[in-house]
Amino acid sequence: MKYMDEFRDPATAKKLVEEIKRLAPIARGQREMPLQIMEFCGGHTHTLFKYGIASMLPADIEMVHGPGCPVCVLPMARVDDCVAIAEQPSVIFTTFGDAMRVPGTRKSLLQAKADGCDVRMVYSPMDALAIARKNPEREVVFFALGFETTMPSTALTLLQAYREGLKNFSLFCNHITTPATMRAILTDPDLRLDGFLAPGHVSMVIGAHPYDFVTRDYRKPLVITGFEPLDILQALWMLVKQFAEGRCEVENQYARIVPEAGNVAGLKAIAEVYETREHSEFRGLGNIGDAGVQIRDDYAAYDAEKKFGLPIDFAQGAVGYDPEHLKCADVLRGVMKPWECPAFAKTCNPQNPLGALMVSPEGSCAAYYAYGKLAKRS
Amino acid sequence: MNFSGSITLAHGSGGRVMHQLVDELIRSTFSNPLLEEGEDQARIPLAGLGAQGDRLAFTTDSYVVTPLEFPGGNIGTLAINGTVNDLAVGGAKPLYLSCGFIIEEGLSLETFARILQSMRLAADEAGVQIVTGDTKVVQRGGADKLFINTAGVGVIPAGFNPSAGGAQVGDVVIINGWLGDHGAAILNARGDLALEADIESDCAPLNALVEAMFAACSDIHCLRDATRGGLATVLNEFAERSGVDMVLKEDTLPIRTPVRGMCEILGLDPLYLANEGKLVAVVPAEAAQTVLAAMQRIPAGYHACIIGAVVEGEGHVILQTAFGGERIVDMLPGEQLPRIC
Ligand code: SF4
């Protein structure tokens, strides 16, 4: 714990908050709106709320919660596919915990489990592999989702299964890449963001340079940061300083962990196993070209999509399962605050989520529901 | 009785094998005069009850934990302490328990005997008697090895009336020790986390502690044990029912380092982890030190401390983080599910 406590020191926090308060009015200048800073990643949203950071910031800064929660951008059709696989009698369907509650058009995986499907929660894809070894007569499928953070571990798991010659293991691949998703936000005509906090663990894998286009093509400063509360405060201070000094750069607050060039071994595993998918549907963002990955043909035997001949609307880029009156799309793009959605805390709540943003504790709607009453009040 | 082998459907048949199980194993382990009468019901003299207070408290709970045995306890100790504590936090002196077993065919007799034995010890420690019971055996797959239901009666002394709606502005919030040990111990004992943490359940009876608190201050405003849903859930109930806010100071919350560490890794919040030997009390500020001193003399209260205060508000629980910010601690929508990244 000692190591962590270093990054939670209240005295240092206070100093940083004072510096942010001093610089923020200069950074904001004459404009009416506060500076809109998007923390792209749900992990950051979680830290902001958990430590009450939102309540410490001056009114010159407004945090906008981004789409960086792989559970939140999962389209309903994809959940339907999961359920369809899980319903095959021979299948043990394995997944991370928070993906279980995401609603599909028919049901969530949690409901499928209650209806008798063998759906199991695991803590890593290697756990799923262990289940496959123990149950040679069953088909074990792992629901591989997440940004570049989780990609190396699913790739390495697949390679391990390949080396062992396991015949009853496959990945249902739903990985997506961070820079492409960010580009989709930046090209949105409704865009009203001024800068970004980028996720440190993604950069642990991909490094800092994939974000160069953000400053070069879109003139939005970006700071890569870790997940401890002091990391985030320091990154905010660095960002505000950039505005105040009229700079626009990719900066790396998380240099203690993030190498400029990323993680070579991780990137190699990713390149070995995955290739870019032409179309990927994101909930709320629609189709984003080249943003998702699929399993290469060399490893087709481990691709659940091929193994189970899935309904292929997803691969062809069908959009539009989300009902109109749900404002998930606007919240995801930072155009609307969660509580402005007519369903928020009424028909849509964590017990009965209508949108995925209410499912994962990192989703901005769930985060506001759980922690945000104070933030909303002020 | 021979403890080798396992429970079969014959043990629930009503015939000789069942009688053997009930008489030679269950009744003999729990033995006490009321149970020895061997009737279909326990016959409790009213006079003795009436002398101890002016109201009867009656409660029931069912226990379905996996795994059956874990560091710091087992399903049996939970079944005794859980019901004892439900009575105690209502201000009652727990006296008599019933005990119903639903056993899945295949449970080893040795395990069952061991659980019975620890139930006996837990009952003795809490000063209660198991006076009636029931045993059913279901087919394999019909239950998860063993379910236990316990019901209990106790007597509430005149003048003791803690309630969830009793918190008043200016009161302080007290907890009797480390938070989340039980929830963390169970997660750890399930063995699918591959964590090497050394965490024991806090399973313990709280009636002696409540008695000492009552003796120190008869005007305890709220009292609850913080079981499923943890501290956060209990405080939300208090705040809502009393129409006040509760402000917690994060750096005063007693949480063991391994529990904190496990929560960090899994993305869980220790404020919501289950406890099996923790109570939350809201007491008038002027009585706080007396109550604390009384608690700290009892083993279940050695680590008692003040963690927050009651302020004016609309029924929220607010955490002042050690970091200098504030956040609302709401009730949890469902089970805590670990995050993926
Ligand atoms: S409240 Fe529910 S429906 Fe509305 S944006 Fe949030 S998740 Fe979507």
Side-chain angles (χ1 to χ4, degrees), chain A residues 8-250:
Chain A
R8 294 172 190 182
D9 170 38
T12 317
K14 210 166 156 235
K15 261 189 237 147
L16 280 168
V17 169
E18 273 162 21
E19 262 305 286
I20 291 171
K21 282 191 173 145
R22 188 180 68 78
L23 284 172
I26 308 171
R28 178 178 173 179
Q30 297 304 313
R31 51 182 284 171
E32 244 172 57
M33 287 243 290
L35 284 173
Q36 305 242 16
I37 295 171
M38 175 176 273
E39 85 278 4
F40 177 87
C41 173
H44 286 156
T45 310
H46 194 74
T47 305
L48 281 170
F49 281 116
K50 182 171 172 203
Y51 294 90
I53 294 175
S55 71
M56 300 160 82
L57 295 176
D60 303 290
I61 297 177
E62 187 180 312
M63 299 306 298
V64 177
H65 315 299
C69 163
V71 169
C72 294
V73 293
L74 196 66
M76 279 192 177
R78 252 346 208 187
V79 179
D80 292 346
D81 290 349
C82 289
V83 172
I85 299 175
E87 280 172 343
Q88 317 271 331
S90 64
V91 165
I92 301 176
F93 194 88
T94 59
T95 169
F96 293 129
D98 51 358
M100 306 240 301
R101 257 205 285 258
V102 184
T105 51
R106 282 196 297 138
K107 52 175 102 163
S108 67
L109 281 166
L110 210 55
Q111 285 160 329
K113 181 173 153 77
D115 292 345
C117 295
D118 194 346
V119 178
R120 302 188 193 177
M121 189 176 87
V122 291
Y123 293 87
S124 93
M126 284 295 183
D127 296 346
L129 197 63
I131 294 176
R133 280 190 210 109
K134 255 195 241 156
N135 297 276
E137 74 297 345
R138 308 277 304 271
E139 273 297 332
V140 176
V141 182
F142 178 71
F143 186 25
L145 82 171
F147 287 93
E148 289 86 340
T149 345
T150 47
M151 260 187 227
S153 65
T154 54
L156 289 168
T157 305
L158 185 150
L159 291 172
Q160 179 68 29
Y162 178 80
R163 270 195 301 275
E164 292 179 24
L166 277 181
K167 296 265 182 290
N168 66 327
F169 180 78
S170 58
L171 293 182
F172 182 35
C173 177
N174 289 269
H175 287 298
I176 40 186
T177 62
T178 309
T181 311
M182 202 177 273
R183 189 186 286 277
I185 295 172
L186 282 162
T187 45
D188 188 322
D190 295 331
L191 179 79
R192 52 183 206 199
L193 297 172
D194 299 294
F196 288 93
L197 295 183
H201 53 8
V202 167
S203 282
M204 265 164 70
V205 178
I206 66 172
H209 294 304
Y211 293 117
D212 287 345
F213 75 95
V214 179
T215 49
R216 188 187 59 229
D217 303 344
Y218 298 92
R219 304 296 304 156
K220 306 285 179 196
L222 178 147
V223 178
I224 295 162
T225 182
F227 292 82
E228 289 299 326
L230 278 186
D231 286 329
I232 293 195
L233 275 184
Q234 193 187 15
L236 277 172
W237 168 70
M238 289 165 73
L239 207 54
V240 175
K241 206 156 163 253
Q242 284 204 43
F243 290 121
E245 293 170 3
R247 286 182 292 122
C248 178
E249 294 161 19
V250 172

Side-chain angles (χ1 to χ4, degrees), chain B residues 146-171:
Chain B
L146 174 62
F147 297 157
I148 303 179
N149 171 276
T150 45
V153 292
V155 176
I156 308 176
F160 195 11
N161 212 2
S163 92
Q168 293 171 17
V169 173
D171 288 352

Side-chain angles (χ1 to χ4, degrees), chain B residues 267-278:
Chain B
L268 303 176
D269 188 336
L271 293 180
Y272 297 96
L273 284 185
N275 309 278
E276 286 295 341
K278 291 294 147 13

